[in-house]
Amino acid sequence: MKITQDILTEKAIELLKKLISTPSFSGEEDKTGDAIEEFLKSFGVDTKRQYNNIYAFNKYFDESKPTLLLNSHHDTVKPNSAYTKDPFDAHIEDGKLYGLGSNDAGGCLVSLLATFVHFYDKEGLSHNIIMAATGEEEDAGEKSIRALLPILPQIDVAIVGEPTLMDLAIAEKGLVVFDAVVEGTPSHAAHPNDDNCIYNAIETLQWFKDYSFEKVSEALGEVKLTVTQINAGKQHNVVPAQVDLVVDVRVNDCYSNQEIADILQKEAPCKMTPRSLRLNSSCINPDHDLVKSGLALGRKTYGSPTLSDQAALTCQSVKLGPGDSTRSHSANEFIFVREIEEGIDIYIKTLTGFLQ
């Protein structure tokens, strides 16, 4: 039987329903991994598995060719308390497929899987294709795509499936979270103290509010620095020794995370300690042939402020997928069925233009 695009779309939607009905919180994706393996094998695809990362190579993989990675994740966050629908009841109402992970990133994942199957046994492609359905994206875990990348062949370019309304996110901000400490002299509240750390924090907070990084990205704009948490003191009559701050920095593609850390540790009027430097910004050249292929279909480009598994990649990459990121992690999450249908069609047409 010929595998048509209509058949692939129908089977992809069936798979998404199965994924939604199968709990797959980060680190607990074994059952959805099984379902993804079963889906690929039903089309004759030879699959491989590392932890709950399911991956496959196109049939005519040629080591002399560059390689394209198709990646999305099958783990989910836990449903929030505002849900009024059963988060694991995959059902369609008014053209919307409801369920936890439907939008983030189940619709993207099944659309990429269908696209991979479409190209799986095609000969004469300009690039190899690796499909990777990975786990632990939501908490950037150790068994996520970060564990898989070292055992894969060199990746030259990647599509990361996240909900973008099928426009091309050609850049994505990185993230550095800092623990900051404003120091002072502890004392009894009844005595004079000209070195109260809480008062010292006023000037420090103003410094953070006013600070701006010099380099502005064409795609991502300015680096965004935000103080998000503050904590100090345990008793009403004791001036504490320090104020603890948490500073969230969203990094554009003009800086590495290490550069951001170096700048703030040198210039900030308090002690700054980064929690991690691994979530770097990412981008693809706007003139890359993959981007041009999407633009030829009338898609738009933009810079994304939200993180994804792009942060783990060192190659050029684009974030692209059906669904809307504003629905991610929301109550009663859904994706339109037509978005999946459109997503598969645009993925296939974009790759047809790029690979041929």
Side-chain angles (χ1 to χ4, degrees), residues 174-178 211 213-215 222-225 247-252 254-268 272 274 277 280-281:
L175 169 66
V176 188
V177 178
F178 291 88
Y211 188 81
F213 291 87
E214 180 180 351
K215 299 176 185 177
E222 297 180 346
V223 174
K224 188 175 187 299
L225 182 155
V247 183
D248 178 295
V249 183
R250 303 291 166 150
V251 185
N252 66 25
C254 299
Y255 296 92
S256 69
N257 286 359
Q258 184 63 63
E259 289 174 316
I260 293 293
D262 291 343
I263 291 169
L264 288 178
Q265 287 177 323
K266 179 181 178 181
E267 298 187 16
M272 301 281 289
L277 297 176
N280 282 286
S281 61

Side-chain angles (χ1 to χ4, degrees), residues 223-300:
V223 174
K224 188 175 187 299
L225 182 155
T226 309
V227 178
T228 57
Q229 292 177 254
I230 183 169
N231 184 58
K234 294 182 179 179
Q235 295 176 233
H236 76 88
N237 59 349
V238 178
V239 176
Q242 67 184 52
V243 175
D244 297 314
L245 307 174
V246 175
V247 183
D248 178 295
V249 183
R250 303 291 166 150
V251 185
N252 66 25
D253 52 340
C254 299
Y255 296 92
S256 69
N257 286 359
Q258 184 63 63
E259 289 174 316
I260 293 293
D262 291 343
I263 291 169
L264 288 178
Q265 287 177 323
K266 179 181 178 181
E267 298 187 16
C270 62
K271 292 182 179 179
M272 301 281 289
T273 304
R275 294 180 180 178
S276 170
L277 297 176
R278 70 181 183 176
L279 301 175
N280 282 286
S281 61
S282 53
C283 63
I284 189 170
N285 189 320
D287 293 325
H288 195 286
D289 287 342
L290 181 59
V291 176
K292 288 181 177 179
S293 185
L295 291 174
L297 298 174
R299 311 319 300 174
K300 301 175 183 177

